[in-house]
Amino acid sequence: MHAHLLIGRDKEKIEKEVEKIGKGLDAMILNFSMQKIEDVREFKKFASFKVAKKTIIFIKEVDTSSSEAANAFLKILEEPQENITLVLSATRESGVLPTIISRCQVRQISSKIKVSENDTNEIEEFLKMNIGKKFLVLEKARKREDAKAFLEKFITIFHSKIISGDSLSPFAKHRERKLEGDSFAENTKYLESAQETLTRINLNGNVSVQLTNFVVQTL
């Protein structure tokens, strides 16, 4: 069994890459979930049968899997089957067990998520707000997809600044006064808080509760 790990937030681009791998191997593609331990058990039942045709098992968002499921899945990686290729996807490498990463060919898939100057200004204004106004803003993002879109935008802005080595807030040039978020440490804190919130929402966590926690963490 060979394994690939595709890292990125562009789901469409990741799926096209999976299709490309499938064509290259002349393999059929099957989708499996790996969120809960029950999912791993179901997959083990499938993998216990010898597969005659080359097959790709595509497992999405393994960075949102429960720790129990991730550890159980590791054992599957250690028991290869000849005609099965695993392709895993994750939005961030840090959310995947190092022992899983070590057994995969890791590839970064660039994200198509783009932020405009207006997006940047909106996030800047959000960070300046008091807790009451922040809650009013996120009240509009009560739907799961709206909440995810907001957090992905937030993550994209902070991630780009951190990897560029810029120790200032991405909004510093627009300000006349320095805010708490201007330090590298604060940028990192905001990024981690947004990533954790997005992960919990992807795991079907209560959107209102997770956004409330996020607001508190950005004070």
Side-chain angles (χ1 to χ4, degrees), residues 12-188:
E12 183 178 343
K13 200 167 184 179
I14 285 176
E15 288 180 359
K16 287 182 178 179
E17 188 62 31
V18 175
E19 291 175 2
K20 183 178 177 181
I21 295 172
K23 288 180 180 178
L25 296 174
D26 190 25
M28 63 177 181
I29 300 173
L30 298 177
N31 293 299
F32 268 85
S33 175
M34 206 64 70
Q35 297 298 306
K36 302 174 294 185
I37 187 64
E38 291 79 8
D39 297 328
V40 180
R41 290 171 182 154
E42 286 299 314
F43 180 75
K44 288 187 74 174
K45 290 178 184 177
F46 170 82
S48 65
F49 298 100
K50 187 172 183 179
V51 179
K53 179 177 173 55
K54 289 183 178 180
T55 302
I56 286 178
I57 304 297
F58 180 33
I59 304 172
K60 302 177 183 179
E61 299 178 343
V62 293
D63 52 329
T64 63
S65 300
S66 68
S67 57
E68 187 180 21
N71 281 295
F73 177 65
L74 180 60
K75 295 179 180 179
I76 294 175
L77 279 175
E78 296 170 343
E79 300 170 357
Q81 188 180 133
E82 184 178 357
N83 285 328
I84 291 181
T85 297
L86 287 174
V87 180
L88 320 177
S89 75
T91 56
R92 57 195 180 97
E93 189 172 335
S94 61
V96 184
L97 284 178
T99 43
I100 289 179
I101 294 173
S102 67
R103 288 166 173 76
C104 297
Q105 296 180 36
V106 180
R107 296 167 61 187
Q108 297 287 338
I109 305 298
S110 61
S111 173
K112 72 175 181 180
I113 296 174
K114 296 180 180 179
V115 291
S116 65
E117 184 174 351
N118 185 55
D119 292 326
T120 300
N121 290 336
E122 286 181 0
I123 298 298
E124 173 189 5
E125 290 303 316
F126 176 79
L127 290 175
K128 290 179 181 178
M129 293 174 183
N130 61 35
I131 188 168
K133 289 184 177 179
K134 285 181 177 179
F135 280 132
L136 288 176
V137 169
L138 292 183
E139 182 72 17
K140 300 176 183 178
R142 295 180 71 178
K143 291 183 179 179
R144 191 171 300 276
E145 290 307 312
D146 291 339
K148 289 167 67 173
F150 174 84
L151 290 166
E152 286 173 350
K153 183 194 302 182
F154 194 101
I155 290 167
T156 298
I157 291 172
F158 276 90
H159 187 264
S160 64
K161 277 296 173 181
I162 288 174
I163 62 175
S164 71
D166 191 347
S167 62
L168 295 179
S169 162
F171 321 116
K173 65 180 180 181
H174 301 294
R175 298 175 180 169
E176 294 180 356
R177 65 187 182 85
K178 201 171 183 181
L179 300 176
E180 278 189 42
D182 289 343
S183 69
F184 179 84
E186 287 297 317
N187 281 343
T188 301

Side-chain angles (χ1 to χ4, degrees), residues 1-14:
M1 184 187 297
H2 305 285
H4 302 261
L5 175 59
L6 308 179
I7 308 291
R9 296 188 181 88
D10 190 335
K11 296 179 182 179
E12 183 178 343
K13 200 167 184 179
I14 285 176

